Amino acid sequence: LALRYRYDADDDFGWLEMSLESASFSGKSGFWVQWQDLVEFADKLPSSPDRLGERIFSQWGFDTLEKDDLILSLSIEEVGRLGELSVCVELADHNVPLNRLRASFRAIYASLDLFKRDLVKLMAREGETAELIGRETT
């Protein structure tokens, strides 16, 4: 999973691009998102050795954020007793919402630490991409 953010010079909103690539499939989409939303999302992510207490999620889109109104969605939660993470992503074309990708993959806390670090840098305009690396769910 890769996130990129392009700030708009005149606004609190910028273009968030999310892309997901695996051996089986790939997808990419974007939507206008307030930069504060991503800073808050990064703040919710634990730093080692802390663990997720509950599912962390954000979603962006039109009006109800349901069905075709939902354009981007990202959620992370712990699964199992060994601290493995389930990452769920939904990406839709904001012009043709029927074109949609839903996927999940597994990650570990070490990957989440790197993702949080890169997301903080991205939102501070010190990086270009925040990536969360994992493995396909089987």
Side-chain angles (χ1 to χ4, degrees):
L1 173 69
L3 276 62
R4 291 173 184 79
Y5 191 80
R6 187 179 70 234
Y7 281 91
D8 184 53
D10 301 329
D11 204 335
D12 281 342
F13 285 83
W15 186 257
L16 172 62
E17 178 185 285
M18 291 176 62
S19 58
L20 184 69
E21 185 175 336
S22 76
S24 308
F25 56 87
S26 65
K28 178 169 65 170
S29 185
F31 199 75
W32 293 103
V33 172
Q34 285 186 302
W35 62 266
Q36 297 94 331
D37 286 352
L38 291 168
V39 169
E40 288 175 13
F41 186 81
D43 286 343
K44 291 178 188 175
L45 297 174
S47 297
S48 289
D50 294 334
R51 307 274 285 240
L52 284 172
E54 57 187 39
R55 179 175 76 111
I56 296 172
F57 73 97
S58 282
Q59 52 190 12
W60 299 277
F62 301 107
D63 300 324
T64 66
L65 296 175
E66 295 177 352
K67 299 181 183 175
D68 287 348
D69 282 352
L70 181 64
I71 304 300
L72 302 175
S73 176
L74 171 60
S75 73
I76 304 170
E77 66 183 318
E78 191 172 300
V79 292
R81 291 180 286 148
L82 299 177
E84 193 172 43
L85 303 168
S86 174
V87 181
C88 296
V89 177
E90 187 164 349
L91 309 172
D93 183 323
H94 69 282
N95 291 315
V96 185
L98 184 61
N99 294 336
R100 180 172 301 273
L101 166 74
R102 289 186 191 110
S104 66
F105 63 93
R106 298 285 195 232
I108 58 174
Y109 276 98
S111 296
L112 189 63
D113 279 344
L114 295 173
F115 177 67
K116 179 178 181 166
R117 181 199 67 195
D118 290 345
L119 186 54
V120 168
K121 284 182 179 181
L122 178 66
M123 299 319 297
R125 301 178 190 205
E126 297 171 356
E128 294 184 18
T129 306
E131 291 184 343
L132 182 53
I133 306 296
R135 64 175 176 76
E136 287 186 62
T137 308
T138 54

